[in-house]
Amino acid sequence: MTRRPLQPGATLGVLGGGQLARMWSHAAQSLGYRTAVLDPDPHSPAGLISHLHVQSAYLDPQGLARMAQACQAITTEFENVPAAALAQLQQQLPVSPGPAAVEVAQDRAAEKAHFVRCGVPVAPHRVLADANALADVPDELLPGILKTTRLGYDGKGQIRVHSRAELPGAFAQLQNGNPSVVCILEKRLPLAAECSVVLARGLDGQCVHLPLQMNQHRDGILAVTEVHEQSLPVGTQQHAIDAATQIARELDYVGVLCVEFFLLQDGPEKTALGPLVVNEIAPRPHNSGHHSIDSCDVSQFELQVRCMAGLPLCPPRLHSPCVMLNLLGDLWWRDGTERSPDWAALLALPGVHLHLYGKTEARHGRKMGHVTITAQDIETARHVSAKAAALLGIPA
Ligand code: ADP
Ligand code: MG
């Protein structure tokens, strides 16, 4: 399918007004588009900088009608926006990614089934619809991680389960009195590292991708991403890119998609599954791709805009190896008092690109911004990043 590109001056819309929508708005606006955001929060980071901010709930018919009337194309910044809202909008204008793909990403069970269909290795798992299903859990899934199939993010909605005896308690805790909550138990795999591929797929099926990202999480939240050409052997990188491309193609996906992978340590799991196991997908730009604003000649946000507007996709080129550090609300607090980090000291370091999302309330674990450190080689970027982390108070 092809479509005439939307001309600058057209309005592009996004459901959700957080930092992803804000950075996407920046990219859309620099290409000359107007932006519209649907988010109930009057202070949403993207609402603050968009031409139009529709302040309504995601399923509010009036809010959706206002977006349909104002916009020529729509996207979403998070997968938990009701697929029904996207489906309703899709009757009136192009929506990318489409509701069917977002629905798969919303549900860990559907997501895993999709990976299996694509022939990509996944962690051994079992979907647990109710407490009766716990008795049939095979021993080989323990120790495991019990996750709700829906609405989990940043390590929320999951519990590590060391033994069978811990399963009923963990299941009850995740259900929290709601019997319709379905869980999935995954075998806990021995991880050597984690990585991700951010790709963009156009309406015509053309696929481009960012360079592979190496990701470190802290307390379930992405903490550090490193990007450089030698991060993994070329064959492994290609393997991840091919798997991600296959996952997108089989979803008939249009837009930016992130695919997260586990790299396994040597051992029986690696012998059985291979070195690379797919973890999950995010149907949108991803925190691990934020570096692309400063390290690549096309960012993940511009790619999303190009997909939506029906513009050509150019393969992004990494022009600078980089390290990205997330800035969580904790950094604003020291000894119980709130104070801003020393931005001037940070910006005195070479190759530092600071991004703050315009959030006023610095809460524990809240993503307030990120900093990308670019350099001519990864060793220099790491060296500067260590200095930046020390002066911001980011734990090593
Ligand atoms: P979220 O949606 O919160 O990002 P993930 O499924 O990606 O949830 O899990 C968060 C983190 O927990 C992963 O990045 C990884 O570090 C760890 N993890 C999740 N599943 C497994 C697993 N099966 N084996 C080992 N570690 C896991
Ligand atoms: Mg994850």
Side-chain angles (χ1 to χ4, degrees), residues 277-352:
V277 169
V278 64
N279 172 25
E280 60 170 354
I281 56 175
R284 50 174 172 78
H286 189 255
N287 197 164
S288 65
H290 288 358
H291 69 91
S292 57
I293 300 173
D294 302 300
S295 67
C296 294
D297 54 7
V298 192
S299 76
Q300 62 169 349
F301 301 105
E302 180 172 338
L303 289 174
Q304 184 76 309
V305 173
R306 289 186 185 219
C307 287
M308 292 175 74
L311 291 166
L313 300 176
C314 287
R317 184 180 68 84
L318 181 77
H319 54 67
S320 305
C322 66
V323 179
M324 189 239 26
L325 304 174
N326 259 348
L327 304 176
L328 301 184
D330 310 53
L331 304 181
W332 273 248
W333 292 89
R334 223 168 250 187
D335 306 324
T337 46
E338 189 175 357
R339 54 112 191 89
S340 251
D342 186 349
W343 302 127
L346 176 71
L347 291 165
L349 298 172
V352 161

Side-chain angles (χ1 to χ4, degrees), residues 52 86 101 116 122 373:
L52 175 66
L86 294 173
V116 171
V122 296
I373 297 112

Side-chain angles (χ1 to χ4, degrees), residues 84-101:
L86 294 173
Q88 187 179 326
L89 288 166
Q90 201 182 32
Q91 292 171 3
Q92 297 166 72
L93 72 169
V95 173
S96 48

